[in-house]
Amino acid sequence: MSDPEQEQHRAWEEGGPERLYVITSGRQAPERNSSLDMVTLIVSRNEPGPGMQPELAAIVRICDYPLSVAELSAYLRLPVSVITVLLTDLLASGHVEARASALTQSLPDVELLEAVMHGLQNL
């Protein structure tokens, strides 16, 4: 390969804009309102299907145990925005499941805390 060809190949491998455009089919954001954030946990429900896009198959394979959206982004070396678009597709097809993080699940209700605080102040 000549030097310009090597640079172009390296840019494709490192997540250049052309590659990201192809991976997401030109979408910049999920088509539906997504409740995914950086700490949402993703876990596989099925095996990768035949002919599945490599990035989608990689997500399904590595999510045998729950991984956050941020972890997926780091492992696959793709921006969170790209991962979110891909996860929306996988959620729609039933290949993965999204779960609230343990931290988010364990947070108490703000209204309950305010009521307790007001009760304690009235003592």
Side-chain angles (χ1 to χ4, degrees):
M1 261 190 245
S2 67
D3 206 26
E5 287 176 2
Q6 286 177 335
E7 285 183 36
Q8 188 177 22
H9 180 71
R10 192 174 314 125
W12 179 265
E13 289 298 319
E14 293 176 359
E18 300 87 5
R19 178 173 180 249
L20 300 178
Y21 183 85
V22 170
I23 290 171
T24 61
S25 301
R27 296 173 288 162
Q28 295 178 358
E31 293 175 359
R32 300 180 196 99
N33 289 338
S34 176
S35 61
L36 297 173
D37 58 22
M38 300 274 286
V39 296
T40 301
L41 298 175
I42 306 298
V43 65
S44 298
R45 296 184 68 185
N46 298 317
E47 295 293 319
M52 184 180 271
Q53 181 179 340
E55 292 79 12
L56 294 174
I59 291 171
V60 173
R61 273 194 302 276
I62 66 174
C63 287
D64 284 340
Y65 57 92
L67 291 173
S68 72
V69 173
E71 289 172 311
L72 287 170
S73 174
Y75 288 142
L76 297 176
R77 296 181 178 165
L78 292 170
V80 171
S81 57
V82 172
I83 294 294
T84 304
V85 170
L86 297 176
L87 287 173
T88 303
D89 294 344
L90 288 170
L91 286 165
S93 68
H95 281 89
V96 298
E97 177 182 320
R99 301 177 182 168
S101 69
L103 175 65
T104 308
Q105 292 174 346
S106 64
L107 291 176
D109 182 27
V110 174
E111 292 176 7
L112 175 64
L113 289 176
E114 289 174 352
V116 169
M117 209 166 69
H118 289 298
L120 290 173
Q121 288 173 346
N122 291 332
L123 290 176

